[in-house]
Amino acid sequence: MDLDEYQRAALRTAAPRDKKNELLHLVLGLVGESGEIAEKFKKWVRDLDSDESRIDRAGIAKELGDVLWYVAVLADYLDLSLDEVAKTNLAKLAGRQGRGVLRGSGDDR
């Protein structure tokens, strides 16, 4: 499956674009799901002494899937192809790497 194909499939379960406050819903959903990933890692640190063998990979995979869904639908809302977003990001990172500014603050922010 390519990213645009995923994006089209994700849209089958998305609310209509014209639903009141849909853009805000998508942005807050993305932030919320990202926070759920952080929460899983917080509990891993607190309860499991940061033992990498005890990371809840299945739970994190589910949350990453939710983040991916929100990214795909938000990109579509903004008329952006998920394939193009990914390609542009990789090109930006490759450019930073080539200039030796991949670490730290980078550039082009």
Side-chain angles (χ1 to χ4, degrees):
M1 171 178 287
D2 68 28
L3 291 173
D4 280 346
E5 183 181 348
Y6 176 86
Q7 188 174 29
R8 286 188 298 274
L11 289 169
R12 291 195 296 261
T13 58
R17 281 177 167 217
D18 61 354
K19 183 178 178 186
K20 183 175 169 65
N21 294 317
E22 186 56 16
L23 178 58
L24 181 60
H25 162 255
L26 293 171
V27 170
L28 294 176
L30 176 58
V31 171
E33 294 300 338
S34 298
E36 288 187 31
I37 294 169
E39 182 71 16
K40 286 196 173 293
F41 278 100
K42 179 199 77 170
K43 290 177 181 177
W44 169 71
V45 169
R46 183 192 66 199
D47 300 338
L48 303 173
D49 196 31
S50 305
D51 178 351
E52 288 192 25
S53 71
R54 298 178 70 190
I55 292 174
D56 178 11
R57 284 172 169 74
I60 291 169
K62 288 179 185 177
E63 300 305 337
L64 286 170
D66 291 341
V67 166
L68 182 60
W69 185 92
Y70 276 104
V71 168
V73 176
L74 178 58
D76 176 78
Y77 189 99
L78 299 171
D79 297 319
L80 300 169
S81 152
L82 200 53
D83 265 349
E84 287 304 313
V85 168
K87 288 175 188 173
T88 300
N89 178 256
L90 290 176
K92 175 187 75 175
L93 295 173
R96 285 183 183 168
Q97 186 176 38
R99 292 186 314 280
V101 294
L102 189 59
R103 296 178 184 236
S105 298
D107 61 358
D108 192 25
R109 301 233 177 251

